Amino acid sequence: GSGQGGRVTRDDVLAAIAAADAARADPDVDHVVFTAMRRTIAECMTESLATAAHTLVVADVDYQRVAGPREAAGLTWLPFIARAAIDALADFPLVNARVAGDGLDVHTHVHLGIAVDRDFEGLVVPVVRAADRLRLPALAAAIAERSAAARARSVGPDEMAGGTFTIT
């Protein structure tokens, strides 16, 4: 160490870390350190991969009969998609579950996560609790409120925890 009596100083440790990083660094790679939010997102996504099935569903849907009522109510398409997903989960409850030990914990309610982008800083997922109990207008209002709060950065960790199914 470079300290008094050969002791290792903080600067010695930082220099050793920097030297180790430089020795193994790929010149074609820029390392970007996680912000606290991105670290939390990465941890939650890793946990989610370990405990929940992930799937992508793409379907052609004719919304012609829904277009008029949607426009009259001033709603986006998202509440209709959310309601369809919630109804499908009622028909297939094992999809609204998470792996736990040697089986599944099947949730009795749909706590619907809605992925919201925060200006390319990362996705956050506020949760609409007991979304399965909400009719379409209330579901639309809850989704809009949670999404607006997420964009305004006024959603706390407890409001982003406990989702059982997420729409992104």
Side-chain angles (χ1 to χ4, degrees):
S2 64
Q4 184 178 17
R7 291 190 176 130
V8 176
T9 66
R10 180 179 186 273
D11 289 339
D12 293 331
V13 172
L14 292 176
I17 291 170
D21 286 345
R24 70 172 177 259
D26 181 340
D28 293 329
V29 174
D30 290 329
H31 180 72
V32 178
V33 177
F34 280 139
T35 62
M37 184 173 87
R38 285 203 183 260
R39 182 178 304 102
T40 301
I41 290 168
E43 290 168 356
C44 290
M45 290 182 75
T46 300
E47 178 187 350
S48 176
L49 282 170
T51 61
H54 289 71
T55 184
L56 169 66
V57 176
V58 178
D60 288 327
V61 178
D62 182 357
Y63 279 107
Q64 185 174 355
R65 291 184 7 206
V66 178
R70 180 192 71 83
E71 290 174 11
L75 299 175
T76 67
W77 291 111
L78 182 58
F80 292 89
I81 295 166
R83 183 77 251 166
I86 292 166
D87 292 346
L89 290 170
D91 293 338
F92 301 95
L94 295 182
V95 178
N96 191 37
R98 71 183 319 119
V99 174
D102 63 349
L104 290 177
D105 284 345
V106 181
H107 302 285
T108 56
H109 291 288
V110 177
H111 301 300
L112 185 66
I114 301 293
V116 177
D117 176 49
R118 282 191 173 169
D119 298 323
F120 302 105
E121 292 177 11
L123 291 176
V124 294
V125 183
V127 176
V128 176
R129 307 260 179 238
D132 53 311
R133 292 186 172 177
L134 300 177
R135 307 233 352 128
L136 187 65
L139 179 62
I143 290 170
E145 185 275 323
R146 301 301 188 293
S147 298
R151 285 186 195 94
R153 292 166 165 60
S154 63
V155 176
D158 56 325
E159 297 168 285
M160 293 187 281
T164 64
F165 189 84
T166 299
I167 295 177
T168 183

